[in-house]
Amino acid sequence: MRLAGILGWGYHVPDHVLTNHDLAQMVDTSDDWIIARTGIRERRIAATTEATSDLATRAAEMALAQAQIAPSDIDLIIVATVTPDMAFPSTACLVQSNIGAFNAAAFDLSAACSGFIYGLKLAQSLVATGAIDNCLLIGAETLSRIVDFMDRSTCVLFGDGAGAVVIGPSQQHTLQTIIVGADGSGGHILRQPAGGSRNPATQETVALRQHFIHMDGQEVFKFAVSKVPEAAEGLLAKIGLQVEDIDWFIPHQANKRIIDAVIKRLGLSPQQTIVNLHKYGNVSNASIPIALAEAAAAGVFQSGERILLAGFGGGLTWGTGLLQW
Ligand code: ACO
């Protein structure tokens, strides 16, 4: 089996900034409430002319340039997203055409906010076995298209953006153990009720605002603060490492209070935890790759350091993995 590693990374966020003060003009909320309950100060919103594939393409181009890999050398493109441009063709196929990666197979991955970690697991396995050489893995979202800007309990949380990595055979920035899981019995906690085969779009589903994100925030909170530490502890136990062996932690950027509770339980420090949600909010599948790419570009990680990744989201799903830089 070959080692699989991250050869390049990139991210892209839209220019338009929506601040908490802007949101306070739209719904009954305040900057103080949003910061205290979530840690979020602002988020990026895609232009009306931009869709998920556009953000994904920009992030992908940056990752390919950084990896110095030609689009024609990509064997597989995976786009992890809950906001594809459309049900089909896949957003990954749109990206493939945009960047000219015509030797690549392409598909979208649906595992809600854990999708990027699921994608890492898949890419690692395919590269390690020699089934493919280079995989372009992208987490990309335009969540502003499925956020109800009349619902103050959800509209303050989410934003738009994309992060990408190129994964291939490498002795550097290697993907170590990755564990993913799901509990479908909790699917009702976080969902977009209409627009699929269960509730196709009708005037009624639109009138009932069922094409937006519906979430039981407190249940998601409880799930995250128990499952993420449990999964991370399980990963460390499996590979015989202690929490002291971890240099950096990149959690899914959903809520600062969730992150604080998770690191407290794991015994990690705020100084070793990468947090950017104050700038971008929760970008679902894009949150971990943006945080990774932003920190890597800033030179935060030193060679050999261990980086723990942890995602959770709708499904319910979760995933945790270890990178060695
Ligand atoms: N501004 C002002 N007040 C608000 C707002 C708002 N934006 N939203 C809710 N409130 C009010 C509620 O109406 C409620 O008022 P009441 O007491 O009069 O009924 C009060 O604030 C408290 O509401 P709670 O829901 O109890 O607030 P909580 O402290 O649980 O915070 C939050 C809500 C931020 C949504 C929290 O539950 C949370 O972060 N949950 C996890 C959400 C999450 O991570 N989702 C995504 C994960 S998966 C993925 O990424 C797709």
Side-chain angles (χ1 to χ4, degrees):
M1 298 276 265
R2 305 188 289 187
L3 285 176
I6 295 182
L7 309 176
W9 48 86
Y11 71 99
H12 177 75
V13 291
D15 292 335
H16 180 62
V17 175
L18 184 72
T19 67
N20 292 348
H21 297 290
D22 296 330
L23 281 166
Q25 307 294 315
M26 299 159 67
V27 289
D28 181 14
T29 191
S30 67
D31 183 45
D32 287 347
W33 192 97
I34 301 170
I35 291 174
R37 298 294 180 113
T38 72
I40 300 165
R41 292 176 182 272
E42 57 189 43
R43 65 291 291 144
R44 300 301 180 97
I45 305 293
T48 50
T49 51
E50 283 177 315
T52 297
S53 65
D54 301 312
L55 308 184
T57 298
R58 300 282 291 273
E61 287 168 343
M62 190 171 158
L64 286 167
Q66 216 258 334
Q68 298 187 304
I69 297 250
S72 55
D73 288 329
I74 296 294
D75 302 306
L76 175 64
I77 301 173
I78 305 172
V79 175
T81 185
V82 296
T83 48
D85 287 29
M86 55 196 101
F88 60 89
S90 68
T91 303
C93 280
L94 301 173
V95 171
Q96 186 234 32
S97 175
N98 288 347
I99 63 174
F102 295 113
N103 296 319
F107 68 92
D108 289 356
L109 191 161
S110 173
C113 308
S114 312
F116 184 76
I117 306 281
Y118 272 62
L120 284 180
K121 171 101 185 166
L122 185 56
Q124 178 195 31
S125 309
L126 292 171
V127 170
T129 57
I132 65 168
D133 283 330
N134 297 313
C135 176
L136 174 60
L137 171 63
I138 308 166
E141 303 288 4
T142 43
L143 292 169
S144 60
R145 302 284 151 74
I146 61 165
V147 161
D148 185 349
F149 282 101
M150 293 175 73
D151 174 9
R152 69 176 182 174
S153 70
T154 53
C155 74
V156 301
L157 302 174
F158 300 100
D160 301 338
V165 291
V166 179
I167 296 165
S170 177
Q171 303 292 323
Q172 265 195 319
H173 313 146
T174 52
L175 298 166
Q176 309 278 314
T177 306
I178 301 168
I179 296 175
V180 292
D183 175 7
S185 69
H188 58 284
I189 293 171
L190 187 53
R191 63 203 175 108
Q192 183 184 14
S197 61
R198 178 70 61 192
N199 294 309
T202 62
Q203 289 185 351
E204 190 189 6
T205 60
V206 173
L208 291 171
R209 311 185 78 73
Q210 291 182 335
H211 297 267
F212 295 120
I213 295 172
H214 287 242
M215 178 181 77
D216 182 335
Q218 291 187 0
E219 286 302 313
V220 176
F221 198 100
K222 279 191 255 172
F223 159 69
V225 299
S226 65
K227 182 51 78 177
V228 174
E230 181 190 314
E233 282 165 354
L235 174 90
L236 294 177
K238 184 171 176 178
I239 53 183
L241 290 181
Q242 309 296 319
V243 82
E244 296 73 37
D245 299 317
I246 299 301
D247 297 293
W248 296 101
F249 180 46
I250 307 182
H252 173 43
Q253 309 281 311
N255 183 319
K256 182 70 166 51
R257 286 191 299 144
I258 293 176
I259 294 174
D260 289 345
V262 166
I263 63 172
K264 189 171 173 201
R265 191 171 137 195
L266 283 172
L268 292 163
S269 71
Q271 292 73 26
Q272 65 187 138
T273 304
I274 307 289
V275 176
N276 64 10
L277 59 69
H278 52 288
K279 296 188 291 185
Y280 305 132
N282 179 349
V283 203
S284 188
N285 282 286
S287 97
I288 291 176
I290 291 176
L292 175 70
E294 207 174 39
V300 167
F301 310 128
Q302 304 304 312
S303 178
E305 287 186 331
R306 292 194 184 93
I307 307 165
L308 180 67
L309 311 176
F312 63 90
L316 299 167
T317 56
W318 61 88
T320 180
L322 192 69
L323 263 177
Q324 186 146 21
W325 207 245

